[in-house]
Amino acid sequence: MTSIIGELITLMLMAFALGMDAFSIGLGMGMYELRLKQIFYIGLTVGIFHVIMPLFGMIAGRFLSDQFGTFAGYVGGALLILLGLQMFISSFKKDEKPLMAPVGIGLLLFAVSVSLDSFSVGLTLGIYRAKTAATLICFGMAAAILTWCGLLIGRKVQGLLGSYSEALGGSILFAFGIKLLLPM
């Protein structure tokens, strides 16, 4: 029972870390004049893509795990470290404004762009044989909720927390990558 709770807490922390990217971009996007209905659809779309992308990653990760065993585990840890570093570094770049409005094809491109990192994490979790349903529920819910929060706060605050939230998410993923590479 304790291992299940530990795995669930780990998944929720990873989901939070991945969702911070959508949160920080949502802060900037919240400066657009968006209606609450648009905010709802944006968060829902991002949540759906945070289910689809890690699912594909987990399928690929399980295949790699079956084929390459322990080596695939090291690759998974390295991927988390690289992804965490990339998120941390990009959090301090000043190009916070989205290039297009979050409607139609712009919304799909936004959802895909903030969900790409969840493919890599899904790949790692597939290698380590994480529970698929729990992972996808955590990732989808966290991404949708954090996107909604980012958009709503962005409307009010106009982007004060953006880079720090993405830096926090990157730091969490980096720490999990280190944990996977170091034997305990």
Side-chain angles (χ1 to χ4, degrees), residues 150-173:
L151 290 166
L152 292 171
I153 292 171
R155 283 175 56 165
K156 303 284 184 203
V157 183
Q158 305 264 331
L160 291 177
L161 304 174
S163 65
Y164 298 114
S165 64
E166 193 173 354
L168 173 63
S171 300
I172 291 170
L173 292 180

Side-chain angles (χ1 to χ4, degrees), residues 40-56:
F40 174 76
Y41 286 125
I42 292 168
L44 189 63
T45 304
V46 170
I48 289 169
F49 274 86
H50 269 78
V51 169
I52 293 169
M53 297 300 277
L55 176 63
F56 290 150

Side-chain angles (χ1 to χ4, degrees), residues 10 13 16-17 27 62 83 93-94 101 106 117 135 157 163:
T10 300
L13 282 171
F16 175 79
L27 283 173
R62 290 202 173 140
L83 182 61
K93 292 183 180 173
K94 296 297 178 193
D117 51 359
T135 300
V157 183
S163 65

Side-chain angles (χ1 to χ4, degrees), residues 98-121:
L99 298 175
M100 61 182 64
V103 292
I105 197 75
L107 174 56
L108 291 177
L109 290 175
F110 167 67
V112 168
S113 70
V114 298
S115 301
L116 283 175
D117 51 359
S118 65
F119 175 84
S120 300
V121 174

